[in-house]
């Protein structure tokens, strides 16, 4: 399976990092060694001085598809989760400055803490889902999936023009504003509507 990350999918997040608002979805890949499950702790790596959290709605692809039409995209996912796209912001800033790919900043081991998956049918609308992140008990990110620049169906149509999507692939749909730094000892807790999906520590 593959993990696809979407960059700059919320206007206020693009602005907070001084990035332009994209005209097409921006995507990148991460390997399955990024996944960190079961609320296991994340161990702060020694290669970054500025580890950032990015809370994201995650969609799991349920069947194989290529060049999926946007109007049929909803048939290709039935479950969602919340995930954190942990980012070594100092390394990413260097990559961006030098026009290099982002993998060392995004695709390192355990960089994607992820919750269990839930049926899309268990929420009123996946396109109108409130989700938020608490750091040490304080809300730091709060958004609704309707605020995405490119919604889930747009994203699936766009990616699948270039890359075949397969059962079990995950799409991290981008982070809203409010990203910030982490330190050892921090506790991250994420909710979708009123359901607590993630609760883990940085050690
Ligand atoms: Mg992200």
């Amino acid at each position: 399976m593959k993990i696809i990350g979407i960059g700059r999918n919320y206007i206020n997040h693009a602005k907070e990092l001084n990035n332009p608002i994209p005209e097409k979805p921006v995507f990148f890949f991460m390997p399955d060694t990024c996944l960190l499950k079961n609320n296991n702790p994340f161990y702060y790596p020694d290669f970054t001085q500025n580890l950032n959290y990015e809370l994201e709605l995650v969609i799991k692809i349920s069947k194989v598809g290529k060049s999926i039409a946007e109007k049929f995209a909803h048939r290709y996912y039935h479950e969602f989760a919340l995930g954190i796209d942990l980012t070594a912001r100092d390394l990413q800033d260097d990559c961006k400055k030098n026009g290099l790919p982002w993998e060392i900043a995004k695709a390192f081991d355990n960089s994607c803490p992820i919750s269990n998956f839930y049926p899309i049918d268990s929420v009123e609308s996946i396109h109108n889902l409130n989700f938020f992140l608490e750091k040490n008990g304080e809300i730091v990110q709060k958004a609704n999936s309707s605020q995405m620049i490119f919604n889930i169906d747009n994203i699936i149509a766009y990616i699948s023009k270039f890359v075949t999507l397969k059962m079990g692939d995950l799409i991290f749909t981008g982070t809203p504003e409010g990203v910030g730094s982490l330190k050892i000892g921090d506790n991250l807790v994420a909710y979708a509507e009123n359901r607590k999906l993630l609760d883990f520590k940085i050690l």
Side-chain angles (χ1 to χ4, degrees):
M1 55 81 71
K2 55 189 174 288
I3 305 166
I4 300 165
I6 304 296
R8 306 171 188 172
N9 201 21
Y10 289 81
I11 287 172
N12 288 336
H13 170 63
K15 283 185 182 161
E16 75 181 343
L17 294 186
N18 298 314
N19 287 316
I21 310 298
E23 285 167 19
K24 294 172 191 159
V26 175
F27 70 90
F28 55 93
F29 289 101
M30 296 179 281
D32 59 1
T33 40
C34 290
L35 293 178
L36 179 63
K37 298 178 183 170
N38 303 317
N39 284 324
N40 281 326
F42 176 84
Y43 291 92
Y44 201 112
D46 60 8
F47 51 74
T48 178
Q49 262 54 252
N50 190 14
L51 181 72
N52 275 204
Y53 56 80
E54 294 188 352
L55 175 65
E56 309 201 4
L57 177 62
V58 181
I59 296 299
K60 186 191 273 184
I61 296 296
S62 56
K63 63 174 178 178
V64 68
K66 169 77 181 164
S67 298
I68 299 163
E70 194 182 319
K71 65 179 173 184
F72 297 128
H74 66 277
R75 298 180 184 173
Y76 290 80
Y77 57 96
H78 300 103
E79 291 179 290
F80 76 97
L82 289 180
I84 312 283
D85 172 19
L86 289 173
T87 303
R89 193 71 72 201
D90 44 356
L91 299 186
Q92 191 194 28
D93 287 345
D94 279 349
C95 294
K96 281 159 70 173
K97 217 182 300 164
N98 295 304
L100 295 171
W102 290 342
E103 274 80 355
I104 58 166
K106 291 276 193 186
F108 49 86
D109 286 355
N110 299 325
S111 65
C112 296
I114 191 161
S115 73
N116 290 332
F117 281 82
Y118 296 86
I120 301 272
D121 293 350
S122 70
V123 295
E124 214 168 280
S125 169
I126 196 66
H127 301 292
N128 187 16
L129 183 80
N130 291 302
F131 58 104
F132 63 98
L133 179 69
E134 290 177 354
K135 186 176 91 166
N136 305 329
E138 191 185 316
I139 295 177
V140 287
Q141 288 190 284
K142 192 175 193 324
N144 184 289
S145 58
S146 65
Q147 296 162 342
M148 290 180 188
I149 299 171
F150 304 103
N151 69 29
I152 299 162
D153 298 343
N154 297 153
I155 291 168
I156 287 175
Y158 184 76
I159 296 171
S160 70
K161 274 200 257 189
F162 303 94
V163 182
T164 299
L165 293 173
K166 289 183 164 181
M167 197 193 304
D169 288 350
L170 301 180
I171 302 176
F172 277 63
T173 58
T175 195
E177 68 190 291
V179 302
S181 297
L182 290 165
K183 58 182 187 339
I184 291 170
D186 282 344
N187 176 220
L188 292 178
V189 180
Y191 294 82
E193 298 297 346
N194 294 320
R195 192 191 272 165
K196 188 198 278 191
L197 266 60
L198 269 175
D199 184 352
F200 70 100
K201 282 205 139 194
I202 309 295
L203 293 177

